[in-house]
Amino acid sequence: MRFFADLPELNPGSVWLVGAGPGDPGLLTLHAANALRQADVIVHDALVNADCLKLAKPAAKLEFAGKRGGKPSPKQRDISLRLVELARAGLRVLRLKGGDPFVFGRGGEEALTLVEHGIPFRIVPGITAGIGGLAYAGIPVTHREVNHAVTFLTGHDSSGVVPDRINWEGIAKGSPVIVMYMAMKHIGQISANLIAAGRAPDEPVAFVCNAATPEQAVLETTLSRAEADVTASGLEPPAIVVVGEVVRLRSSLDWLGALNGRTLAADPFSSQIRRNPA
């Protein structure tokens, strides 16, 4: 297409670190689609929708490099060095990641390795699941009558446990809305931390699993019931978890549900006093 002729060229011997968005191939950026049609080899994560890979040129080689908690996964250093190896072989290398490569995607680590070895690279941002995935569930991360601040955090660190450097009291008191990646496994401890730090036990919580895909499932609960309800639901990762009054807006903004016949509420807060804590 002539349009793509005006977009950057993925040169041999270079690497593009590209975000594929939360799931729906329609959320790919034009730069991402351009990279897919040029790449000789695509090193992709587990969370990349297979439909996105259909945009690759027929001769492109696909290499899986997914890292999933609790399952055998390639080591991050090995993935980074593989990118170097492929680029040094003179290939056009696309490192395709779910969401955004710089939002809990280890893109910074991989880019630093490329710099270390003198490999030219480009960063192509993607729609992160903490924003796009929630939007597909009808939950905005900001709303003027609810919050003027939002915190994004990860539910586990490199060792697989809840990070001990998170200031739970600071987040509980200072962030009306909290969006958590990779938090489902440890939601019991996280909920207890937030309640101990002052969050209300009945504060709304939502789990959005397989966001922006046909398998998307949403569970609405409360902070005190989050662990029990998600266990009873049988839902599994990948999931985005959001804590805050914005969850109530789903009753009015669940646009996917409306397409399937759900009647949306005119007043998502049910005439409650609206909070604006930030």
Side-chain angles (χ1 to χ4, degrees):
M1 295 176 61
R2 291 184 61 186
F3 178 81
F4 283 106
D6 297 326
L7 295 178
E9 181 179 352
L10 174 52
N11 294 314
S14 63
V15 178
W16 284 15
L17 302 171
V18 177
D24 186 343
L27 298 180
L28 285 167
T29 65
L30 290 174
H31 279 313
N34 180 42
L36 280 161
R37 65 186 290 274
Q38 295 185 71
D40 298 316
V41 58
I42 301 170
V43 182
H44 64 94
D45 280 350
L47 296 182
V48 172
N49 190 328
D51 288 338
C52 295
L53 299 174
K54 294 177 181 178
L55 297 176
K57 64 184 183 183
K61 179 183 178 181
L62 304 181
E63 289 195 9
F64 178 77
K67 294 180 70 65
R68 298 296 298 274
K71 299 180 181 180
S73 303
K75 296 184 182 300
Q76 183 58 57
R77 183 63 176 171
D78 292 338
I79 296 173
S80 299
L81 291 176
R82 178 59 175 162
L83 300 178
V84 172
E85 178 184 18
L86 292 169
R88 285 181 170 170
L91 300 174
R92 298 173 177 87
V93 184
L94 167 56
R95 176 67 169 115
L96 192 62
K97 296 173 168 289
D100 181 278
F102 278 4
V103 182
F104 301 118
R106 301 187 179 93
E109 298 172 45
E110 293 173 0
L112 287 172
T113 300
L114 297 175
V115 172
E116 177 187 351
H117 291 85
I119 304 297
F121 67 97
R122 183 186 185 100
I123 305 299
V124 178
I127 299 174
T128 184
I131 296 175
L134 293 184
Y136 266 54
I139 302 171
V141 293
T142 65
H143 185 75
R144 287 197 303 168
E145 296 181 354
V146 176
N147 67 307
H148 294 143
V150 58
T151 294
F152 296 90
L153 61 86
T154 177
H156 67 75
D157 60 20
S158 58
S159 63
V161 300
V162 177
D164 58 9
R165 290 183 291 178
I166 291 179
N167 183 344
W168 293 106
E169 183 176 359
I171 291 174
K173 293 180 178 179
S175 186
V177 173
I178 306 167
V179 178
M180 296 180 280
Y181 296 69
M182 300 168 285
M184 179 180 281
K185 179 180 179 182
H186 300 296
I187 193 61
Q189 181 181 345
I190 292 170
S191 297
N193 289 345
L194 289 171
I195 292 172
R199 297 301 275 247
D202 64 350
E203 184 167 11
V205 175
F207 293 82
V208 183
C209 301
N210 295 304
T213 72
E215 292 75 39
Q216 177 175 295
V218 182
L219 171 67
E220 295 180 56
T221 180
T222 64
L223 205 53
S224 63
R225 291 199 52 81
E227 181 180 25
D229 286 351
V230 77
T231 299
S233 73
L235 294 175
E236 295 183 352
I240 287 290
V241 185
V242 56
V243 178
E245 292 295 315
V246 290
V247 173
R248 299 189 192 278
L249 285 155
R250 185 167 189 267
S251 65
S252 295
L253 302 180
D254 179 17
W255 57 276
L256 277 175
L259 293 176
N260 293 316
R262 178 178 182 176
T263 299
L264 300 180
D267 180 6
F269 298 100
S270 301
S271 299
Q272 296 180 25
I273 296 175
R274 303 183 184 184
R275 306 177 188 177
N276 190 355

